[in-house]
Amino acid sequence: MGFLVMIREVSMAKAIRVVLLCLSVLWVVPKECACRSNYSRNSSSSSSSSLPPLTQRPSSVNVGALFTYDSFIGRAAKPAVKAAMDDVNADQTVLKGIKLNIIFQDSNCSGFIGTMGALQLMENKVVAAIGPQSSGIAHMISYVANELHVPLLSFGATDPTLSSLQFPYFLRTTQNDYFQMHAIADFLSYSGWRQVIAIFVDDECGRNGISVLGDVLAKKRSRISYKAAITPGADSSSIRDLLVSVNLMESRVFVVHVNPDSGLNVFSVAKSLGMMASGYVWIATDWLPTAMDSMEHVDSDTMDLLQGVVAFRHYTIESSVKRQFMARWKNLRPNDGFNSYAMYAYDSVWLVARALDVFFRENNNITFSNDPNLHKTNGSTIQLSALSVFNEGEKFMKIILGMNHTGVTGPIQFDSDRNRVNPAYEVLNLEGTAPRTVGYWSNHSGLSVVHPETLYSRPPNTSTANQRLKGIIYPGEVTKPPRGWVFPNNGKPLRIGVPNRVSYTDYVSKDKNPPGVRGYCIDVFEAAIELLPYPVPRTYILYGDGKRNPSYDNLVNEVVADNFDVAVGDITIVTNRTRYVDFTQPFIESGLVVVAPVKEAKSSPWSFLKPFTIEMWAVTGGFFLFVGAMVWILEHRFNQEFRGPPRRQLITIFWFSFSTMFFSHRENTVSSLGRFVLIIWLFVVLIINSSYTASLTSILTIRQLTSRIEGIDSLVTSNEPIGVQDGTFARNYLINELNILPSRIVPLKDEEQYLSALQRGPNAGGVAAIVDELPYIEVLLTNSNCKFRTVGQEFTRTGWGFAFQRDSPLAVDMSTAILQLSEEGELEKIHRKWLNYKHECSMQISNSEDSQLSLKSFWGLFLICGITCFMALTVFFWRVFWQYQRLLPESADEERAGEVSEPSRSGRGSRAPSFKELIKVVDKREAEIKEILKQKSSKKLKSTQSAAGTSQSQHGEIT
């Protein structure tokens, strides 16, 4: 965690000397960039500046440690570093025979002193430096580490901008704030808050961390509405002034990213201002758990300040190594609390030790050389020649980056960006007397209620549906997530832009009485405002000159430009506008329609044919003949009325077919199959007759209106002028979507111009039709006494809504209020109040072709009838074939006798009698067939009895 860079008060003369000294020290930075190509190491340095040859191992290795002793992090890190050094030196498996010597320097929370301390550490030929804890100091001394090739391992600098590209010798052994800001953004998204106020200390760590948070929120369509920077070292009075100003804003979600040593002052002042009550949300980064963990005992007063706060703490895996280390802590530092940075500092020392062990096992040696750039002091009295370059620093840095082992904080391994793998945070809720864990965050699974390490074996899943947290108690003992915002109490009312219409003023118009506007849209907006659980001070501002309707696209752009907070009126929700503003739920349906002049259709002598389409007439006639033929086939063998000469039978088929249309057929059906088919067919005829009668009645009795413009398609293909309402989106839609030439579009000002243009027509300077939205057309047709009609169908579907600024939380609440108005019937009441038309007329003209009955309305009936006929015919022919098979033996005998008398007959001629016999069987009456079969059965029985008697007499003679 970065620390506040503090500059001590000094006299003017001393300050000048300090500045000059600092500039002299940092002179090496630009030289590094400008003279890198001329730099060369001096491998033949003096014996005092090099370790023994490769065949010998050094007796000790120096490592630097730089941090602020007197701080929450420093008080925990120092004993941890010492304990790690002792453990390394006591472990015979690491650095065998080599003593690890750590040299400490106190940065005293100062960038200048920290830089001086880093230079002093480098004079001691250190191979690595542990620290600093401050991101600001880390930025400065990373230049020194780059120049001298000394790896810098920081256990507390979490600034995301400490890049490995800029600082190749910097390595962060703790978590990067980049991931912490992602965790906070996921929590905000999970809770449904889209605007936050960031309170941060104005240093590198604070600014850069909040900058990352803003970028992450932008990807989630959220934002930081205000960045409240606290001056480093600010007193309670300055913090109070800052919190008073942010309390006047609308957001009630605060993200606090400050230092652990002074951060509690923010909550103390917030408590005194009443900002820790219900409705507020406070989110603290890892500085707050660090401060609380570092306290030996958190008193009740401190916990009272923090009730309901949500905080994020570095998550470290529970292990036996961690538990043993925490058990030793009481002996290491009995008077100071324990925090996660102590473990990161401890692991940093062990990381260096294990890397050195690998370094020496690969037969590497530690050597230093002079940097010629440090000798070019241009006469300065500052002696930088004591600083040496670690020749094997680059190789040692690669070994450190390749390490993979387990420490007290868990697996220690680095990714390609030099960040710790598997970053995770613990989500805490401060309530009662101690923090309570409500979940965890990791870049592998997002928010979850299980330990992150249990999810690493599963595929990554950070989807919104997978996010989980336990219940959280917010300030004021609120268990439900607060709304997160209120209407700002800064004296600025809601600025409402209202179109100053000159036509269709029932929807919205100027009014002499307060609030200065009136109309249907205004009443809907006011009714929705009254349902909100908080007051909304507001002022209506007319937009337009009052001479013509204003451009609604320009009105929406005024909202985007922050000239209005919301636009209220008959504003159509279209795709292009939704890219820049947030619309509420539509409060009225709308869509584009075509209005054209109409005339009464003339009566036709062939009107009786109009009820059915040509296909319907053809199929119906065909089925009449088909069913007649089917009934003749089924009745021919049973019914004498369906028998006789061929001419008579053909006439019977036609007569029976069409007489069923009027249920006047005189022929009776005798067979069961014929009756079954006839019942189904009469049902079909009944439906067809009823439909025809109803359709013809409608055509002959209802007034028929026609128009040469049949709809939007015929209007597009013509070259005639089209009228549109001035200021609406209809003009752009016709040009951009339907590719109509702009020269054909005629803007019309009001209803009078509408009616005049339609009456004149295109030949007299008018228009062929008007394209406008349905709510306007309803008013137009009513006021014109139904002289015009809409033609064709409504060819767009949309609605009217109120346009708010992007991501405005008020838009969501207003949408909920509009839905409530709709459910309670209030929208309908407002509609009747303003739009209660005196003359109701049918909107759309009737099209004779559209009213015709087509085959698609009756194909089910015809299908049923066809299947019935097929089934009956199948049963009939099966019966005939069965009868023919029973008569077949007798026919075969006759055929064989014929063959004896006429042996010269061909095979083709021998088969012909069989087909003829089948036709004869079909043509015979059913009674005759039954009589033949009865006689045949009797003959067969007598022959069987005769054969049996002959057999018995022969048997008697033998006996």
Side-chain angles (χ1 to χ4, degrees), residues 610-611 695 698-699 704 846-854:
K610 291 183 179 180
S695 180
S698 174
I699 292 173
Q704 300 293 314
S846 58
N847 191 326
S848 59
E849 293 183 359
D850 294 338
S851 62
Q852 284 183 316
L853 300 175
S854 63

Side-chain angles (χ1 to χ4, degrees), residues 425-703:
Y425 288 86
E426 190 175 358
V427 185
L428 305 177
N429 182 209
L430 278 63
E431 51 141 341
T433 59
R436 176 175 61 93
T437 301
V438 295
Y440 306 89
W441 179 92
S442 68
N443 65 337
H444 183 85
S445 58
L447 297 171
S448 66
V449 294
V450 297
H451 295 281
E453 63 270 17
T454 62
L455 302 175
Y456 292 150
S457 59
R458 306 177 187 175
N461 186 359
T462 58
S463 63
T464 303
N466 193 51
Q467 307 301 291
R468 295 287 187 276
L469 283 178
K470 297 178 183 177
I472 297 176
I473 299 178
Y474 296 94
E477 299 183 355
V478 177
T479 57
K480 182 180 179 181
R483 186 172 64 248
W485 71 280
V486 296
F487 201 82
N489 190 23
N490 54 9
K492 295 181 180 179
L494 191 71
R495 299 166 300 171
I496 305 173
V498 178
N500 190 7
R501 295 192 59 89
V502 296
S503 62
Y504 303 109
T505 54
D506 285 341
Y507 289 108
V508 61
S509 62
K510 181 180 179 180
D511 190 21
K512 297 180 180 180
N513 301 320
V517 289
R518 61 188 293 273
Y520 168 75
C521 300
I522 301 301
D523 280 8
V524 172
F525 184 79
E526 287 291 331
I529 286 288
E530 294 300 323
L531 293 179
L532 299 181
Y534 46 86
V536 180
R538 54 198 177 275
T539 180
Y540 291 94
I541 305 172
L542 288 170
Y543 180 76
D545 56 9
K547 298 179 180 179
R548 300 188 70 92
N549 292 334
S551 169
Y552 280 65
D553 286 337
N554 293 340
L555 175 59
V556 172
N557 290 334
E558 292 294 321
V559 177
V560 178
D562 197 27
N563 294 325
F564 296 129
D565 297 312
V566 58
V568 172
D570 47 341
I571 304 171
T572 307
I573 303 173
V574 294
T575 304
N576 188 51
R577 295 171 183 172
T578 57
R579 297 190 179 103
Y580 310 106
V581 296
D582 284 346
F583 279 95
T584 62
Q585 175 79 15
F587 56 87
I588 188 173
E589 292 184 356
S590 180
L592 291 178
V593 294
V594 179
V595 178
V598 294
K599 59 182 179 180
E600 188 171 356
K602 296 181 180 179
S603 180
S604 170
W606 304 101
S607 297
F608 67 92
L609 295 176
K610 291 183 179 180
F612 288 165
T613 61
I614 296 177
E615 294 81 2
M616 182 64 182
W617 279 117
V619 173
T620 303
F623 257 85
F624 271 108
L625 296 176
F626 173 73
V627 173
M630 289 299 103
V631 172
W632 177 85
I633 293 174
L634 298 174
E635 290 291 319
H636 179 70
R637 303 179 69 202
F638 298 89
N639 197 336
Q640 185 63 33
E641 294 180 351
F642 287 88
R643 301 183 65 85
R647 182 172 177 273
R648 178 187 174 187
Q649 294 185 49
L650 187 62
I651 294 173
T652 300
I653 292 174
F654 277 93
W655 165 256
F656 182 84
S657 298
F658 292 100
S659 64
T660 56
M661 182 185 303
F662 311 102
F663 306 99
S664 61
H665 52 283
R666 67 171 180 266
E667 294 81 5
N668 294 321
T669 52
V670 177
S671 68
S672 299
L673 293 177
R675 290 176 177 178
F676 177 64
V677 170
L678 186 60
I679 289 174
I680 299 300
W681 174 242
L682 291 178
F683 173 75
V684 174
V685 170
L686 175 64
I687 300 299
I688 294 176
N689 277 344
S690 301
S691 303
Y692 175 85
T693 303
S695 180
L696 182 61
T697 302
S698 174
I699 292 173
L700 297 178
T701 57
I702 298 177
R703 181 186 180 191

Side-chain angles (χ1 to χ4, degrees), residues 764-780:
V767 296
I770 287 177
V771 175
D772 206 347
E773 295 182 73
L774 186 59
Y776 302 128
I777 297 305
E778 290 177 347
V779 177
L780 176 68

Side-chain angles (χ1 to χ4, degrees), residues 641-836:
E641 294 180 351
F642 287 88
R643 301 183 65 85
R647 182 172 177 273
R648 178 187 174 187
Q649 294 185 49
L650 187 62
I651 294 173
T652 300
I653 292 174
F654 277 93
W655 165 256
F656 182 84
S657 298
F658 292 100
S659 64
T660 56
M661 182 185 303
F662 311 102
F663 306 99
S664 61
H665 52 283
R666 67 171 180 266
E667 294 81 5
N668 294 321
T669 52
V670 177
S671 68
S672 299
L673 293 177
R675 290 176 177 178
F676 177 64
V677 170
L678 186 60
I679 289 174
I680 299 300
W681 174 242
L682 291 178
F683 173 75
V684 174
V685 170
L686 175 64
I687 300 299
I688 294 176
N689 277 344
S690 301
S691 303
Y692 175 85
T693 303
S695 180
L696 182 61
T697 302
S698 174
I699 292 173
L700 297 178
T701 57
I702 298 177
R703 181 186 180 191
Q704 300 293 314
L705 301 177
T706 62
S707 173
R708 58 190 185 85
I709 302 296
E710 299 178 353
I712 187 62
D713 293 331
S714 62
L715 188 61
V716 170
T717 55
S718 68
N719 293 320
E720 297 177 329
I722 305 171
V724 297
Q725 184 182 170
D726 199 13
T728 63
F729 82 102
R731 181 180 188 277
N732 292 335
Y733 182 87
L734 295 177
I735 295 174
N736 300 329
E737 302 297 332
L738 302 182
N739 298 319
I740 295 177
L741 296 176
S743 58
R744 293 180 57 192
I745 309 299
V746 179
L748 302 175
K749 179 180 178 181
D750 52 27
E751 294 104 315
E752 293 182 1
Q753 290 190 1
Y754 269 46
L755 300 177
S756 175
L758 286 173
Q759 290 173 350
R760 293 198 309 270
N763 297 327
V767 296
I770 287 177
V771 175
D772 206 347
E773 295 182 73
L774 186 59
Y776 302 128
I777 297 305
E778 290 177 347
V779 177
L780 176 68
L781 297 184
T782 303
N783 294 339
S784 65
N785 294 324
C786 305
K787 293 180 180 179
F788 308 100
R789 292 290 192 278
T790 60
V791 293
Q793 300 295 325
E794 187 177 357
F795 57 92
T796 65
R797 294 282 184 178
T798 181
W800 291 353
F802 306 129
F804 284 84
Q805 291 185 3
R806 195 73 165 173
D807 300 324
S808 172
L810 188 58
V812 179
D813 289 352
M814 286 293 290
S815 293
T816 304
I818 291 173
L819 286 175
Q820 184 177 345
L821 289 174
S822 178
E823 293 171 358
E824 295 176 353
E826 293 298 324
L827 280 183
E828 182 62 25
K829 293 180 181 177
I830 299 174
H831 188 277
R832 288 198 300 266
K833 171 186 174 182
W834 288 98
L835 309 173
N836 189 15

